[in-house]
Amino acid sequence: MTLDANQILALAPDPASAKAGSQLATPRNWSNLGTSDSALWGECQGSGKTPYRTQIDLGGPAFKCTCPSRKFPCKHGLGLYLLRTSEPSLFDQAEAPAWVSDWLQGRQTRQEKKATIKDTGPEAAAQARKREEKREDKVSAGLADLQTWLHDLAREGLASVRSRGQGFWDAIAARMADAQAAPVARRLRRAGSMLYQSGLRNAESLVANELASLYLLVQAWQRIDQLAPALQADVRALLGWTMSQDDVLRQGTVTDRWGVLAQCTFDDERLRVRSTWLLGAATGRWALHLQYAVGTQGFEQQLAPGTSFDGDLCFYPSAWPLRAQIRRQDDVQSLSGIESPSSLDTLQDTYADALAAQPFLERHPVLLGGLVPDGADHGIVRDALGRRIALHPSFRHPLHLLALSGGHPLTVCGEWDGRMLLPLAVWHDGRLYNIDSDLP
């Protein structure tokens, strides 16, 4: 399929690439343009003598270019796709040249290898278990220190530590990093920074909730053998244990028509993270697809908001499974509609069920209908009954909501934490608008 211009620009790794790609989307920059049922290609004259060969697998979409850029997709890939959208008559239907067909064949081979799950022998498993036991000991010691720190903090009160500065929080975070509990370290640094963030409403309340969640996590780790296996997997994931892609793909698949409803890309220390929410049309099931990249390295899979695809997803073990890997992705089309949105009452019931199953839930996806931004207070929206819904303090685009709404109800896709809504995308007038949100 051919995406529209907004969907193509949503694939750009940064605003600069989107701008440069738009500037390249003119016929004078290209030669040897062509297309087949599965691919798109062309040559773009750059600063060197030899034109850059740019190609797109339309089934992904996936991009490849001979330019030296480390961004993915590069400006040439974006420009080629945008040109096809604006002037399709320039692209003759033809058999793909060898440099395109070889690349497509290589992609197919890699996908087949991805679907082949390798088993580990007993010796490798025994060595892995020894490493696990050593790490578990380090985590246990680190969390024991954190428990003592939290007890001391509870006696002193948050008001007493504000004067100590961020260094007070960084010190315990460093201890957690040494204990190989990196996610806990990040949460502690973030909690401390909330106290000193100007303009943040209810900072003490937000920090207290985060510390209570961390204390619950410490208690769960100390009693992990008493938990159900699925909840054990949640606790271990929150403490930094990862599951290989091969192990995830061993899980059973969920087949559906998956709509790409929201996406945001953000920095997490040295990594770039792309978070994409998918919703199954038949199952009504949500899925969170996470991808990681270093620096300007590209993301392996390109999922454009406002599209849908037939696919098989494998979910990570969890008491409330959300995160998933894509095993198969076929027949990408524009999103023609969305499922019936929830009301605030339905959301509260669903969220209560989720917390009952997985009390450490950090993000809960939601599709809320009938929301109208409050013109007087940009920090809230109102539902169909006029009830106030607070927007998360990290949401930076309330005016975008107001402009799209024009005083009329919107359907918002976002994340709910039990108290506040973080809007990520808006369905309005038969079209999905992805909002570039900064995650907390």
Side-chain angles (χ1 to χ4, degrees):
M1 95 171 260
T2 300
L3 306 180
D4 64 34
N6 288 323
Q7 292 166 342
I8 293 169
L9 292 174
L11 302 175
D14 52 46
S17 297
K19 180 179 180 181
S22 299
Q23 293 172 344
L24 284 174
T26 57
R28 61 183 174 81
N29 293 315
W30 295 91
S31 60
N32 298 326
L33 296 170
T35 186
S36 66
D37 291 339
S38 59
L40 190 67
W41 61 87
E43 296 183 353
C44 184
Q45 185 61 55
S47 57
K49 181 179 179 181
T50 305
Y52 298 129
R53 288 178 167 178
T54 306
Q55 49 203 303
I56 301 172
D57 182 347
L58 296 174
F63 300 80
K64 182 176 174 60
C65 185
T66 58
C67 75
S69 174
R70 297 183 62 187
K71 295 183 179 181
F72 189 83
C74 68
K75 62 182 181 181
H76 305 101
L78 295 169
L80 179 64
Y81 213 167
L82 289 168
L83 181 61
R84 165 63 187 279
T85 300
S86 62
E87 300 193 48
S89 61
L90 297 175
F91 294 79
D92 294 330
Q93 190 78 18
E95 182 178 349
W99 54 276
V100 176
S101 59
D102 289 348
W103 174 64
L104 293 174
Q105 181 60 44
R107 276 181 50 78
Q108 182 177 351
T109 301
R110 287 191 294 273
Q111 289 172 355
E112 291 172 352
K113 288 182 178 179
K114 179 180 177 180
T116 303
I117 308 301
K118 298 180 180 179
D119 292 324
T120 57
E123 183 177 347
Q127 292 176 350
R129 184 56 200 159
K130 288 182 179 179
R131 291 193 297 270
E132 285 293 287
E133 291 174 350
K134 184 177 180 180
R135 180 178 180 182
E136 287 169 357
D137 290 341
K138 294 187 68 174
V139 169
S140 294
L143 293 186
D145 290 346
L146 177 59
Q147 179 174 266
T148 301
W149 186 87
L150 289 170
H151 284 162
D152 292 342
L153 188 57
R155 284 192 295 269
E156 296 178 19
L158 286 177
S160 67
V161 300
R162 183 184 286 271
S163 62
R164 299 189 185 183
Q166 184 65 37
F168 173 75
W169 300 85
D170 291 342
I172 186 63
R175 174 67 184 97
M176 294 304 101
D178 291 342
Q180 295 185 269
V184 177
R186 287 194 294 270
R187 292 176 66 178
L188 285 164
R189 283 193 292 268
R190 186 177 65 195
S193 67
M194 290 180 188
L195 288 175
Y196 313 106
Q197 185 175 334
S198 61
L200 181 61
R201 299 180 181 180
N202 303 318
E204 286 80 4
S205 177
L206 293 173
V207 173
N209 286 330
E210 181 71 352
L211 294 179
S213 177
L214 286 172
Y215 188 80
L216 182 63
L217 182 60
V218 171
Q219 295 296 305
W221 174 254
Q222 293 173 349
R223 298 169 175 80
I224 193 166
D225 292 338
Q226 303 171 28
L227 304 179
L231 193 53
Q232 289 184 23
D234 288 314
V235 172
R236 294 175 72 86
L238 287 168
L239 292 173
W241 268 272
T242 58
M243 192 174 189
S244 72
Q245 191 175 88
D246 283 352
D247 287 339
V248 176
L249 295 175
R250 288 192 181 94
Q251 311 299 312
T253 58
V254 178
T255 301
D256 208 332
R257 183 80 191 175
W258 299 96
V260 185
L261 292 194
Q263 184 178 90
C264 57
T265 304
F266 56 96
D267 294 328
D268 186 0
E269 296 184 346
R270 291 174 293 179
L271 292 175
R272 289 172 58 244
V273 184
R274 176 161 288 175
S275 170
T276 306
W277 282 110
L278 311 172
L279 180 60
T283 62
R285 185 164 181 176
W286 286 96
L288 175 63
H289 186 254
L290 294 176
Q291 296 189 85
Y292 300 90
V294 179
T296 57
Q297 175 187 351
F299 297 101
E300 180 182 356
Q301 290 175 304
Q302 299 297 323
L303 301 170
T307 63
S308 64
F309 62 91
D310 286 331
D312 298 331
L313 269 59
C314 298
F315 284 79
Y316 286 72
S318 170
W320 192 264
L322 286 174
R323 188 181 174 191
Q325 290 282 356
I326 299 173
R327 186 163 190 174
R328 179 181 64 87
Q329 180 186 4
D330 296 324
D331 189 26
V332 180
Q333 301 287 340
S334 289
L335 192 63
S336 58
I338 57 173
E339 299 301 303
S340 299
S342 300
S343 65
L344 181 59
D345 293 330
T346 302
L347 166 60
Q348 296 284 24
D349 290 342
T350 304
Y351 185 66
D353 292 340
L355 279 185
Q358 211 279 62
F360 309 103
L361 195 65
E362 294 182 310
R363 54 178 77 179
H364 181 69
V366 63
L367 197 60
L368 271 178
L371 300 187
V372 179
D374 190 302
D377 185 347
H378 294 164
I380 67 169
V381 293
R382 296 184 182 273
D383 72 353
L385 299 178
R387 292 175 293 188
R388 295 165 52 96
I389 300 175
L391 298 179
H392 199 281
S394 66
F395 183 59
R396 299 290 184 259
H397 307 287
L399 294 181
H400 289 192
L401 287 185
L402 195 60
L404 285 171
S405 168
H408 299 287
L410 297 172
T411 296
V412 176
C413 177
E415 295 175 358
W416 176 254
D417 67 359
R419 302 175 306 279
M420 295 176 289
L421 174 68
L422 175 64
L424 298 175
V426 172
W427 180 263
H428 178 63
D429 199 20
R431 180 178 173 184
L432 186 79
Y433 296 85
N434 195 66
I435 301 174
D436 184 19
S437 297
D438 301 320
L439 291 184

